[in-house]
Amino acid sequence: MSYEKVLQAKDVVIGTKQTVKALKLGTVNEVVVAKDADHKVIAKIVSAAEETMVPILYVDSMKKLGKACGIDVGAAAIAIIN
């Protein structure tokens, strides 16, 4: 379900650093996080999303999330931009 949302999104930010940056700027509509990502990697994103009250969607696989974004590597998290 969430992978379809990613595929339909017009603008996404891929990666942990870029997602945190976008959350701080206040331009994020939703955050999608892979459950199989290292907890240390996604902790900052989850914390920033909770602080800014941005909904967090969880998906099962980094590899599938990366593929949904059109990249050949896994993605721990992405942000769907307003």
Side-chain angles (χ1 to χ4, degrees), residues 10-40:
K10 292 177 184 166
D11 196 12
V12 296
V13 174
I14 304 168
T16 54
K17 288 180 186 175
Q18 293 85 349
T19 299
V20 171
K21 193 176 195 180
L23 281 164
K24 289 181 180 177
L25 291 171
T27 59
V28 178
N29 197 20
E30 286 180 285
V31 173
V32 182
V33 176
K35 289 180 184 175
D36 64 343
D38 186 348
H39 179 69
K40 292 177 188 174

Side-chain angles (χ1 to χ4, degrees), residues 42-61:
I42 60 171
K44 211 176 215 183
I45 294 166
V46 171
S47 176
E50 288 173 351
E51 284 176 22
T52 55
M53 296 172 47
V54 172
I56 304 168
L57 300 171
Y58 289 93
V59 294
D60 294 328
S61 167

Side-chain angles (χ1 to χ4, degrees), residues 2-4 6-7 12-15 32-37 59-79:
S2 298
Y3 296 114
E4 288 177 22
V6 173
L7 289 167
V12 296
V13 174
I14 304 168
V32 182
V33 176
K35 289 180 184 175
D36 64 343
V59 294
D60 294 328
S61 167
M62 286 178 56
K63 190 167 183 87
K64 287 181 186 176
L65 184 57
K67 194 171 189 172
C69 293
I71 60 174
D72 294 330
V73 294
I78 63 131

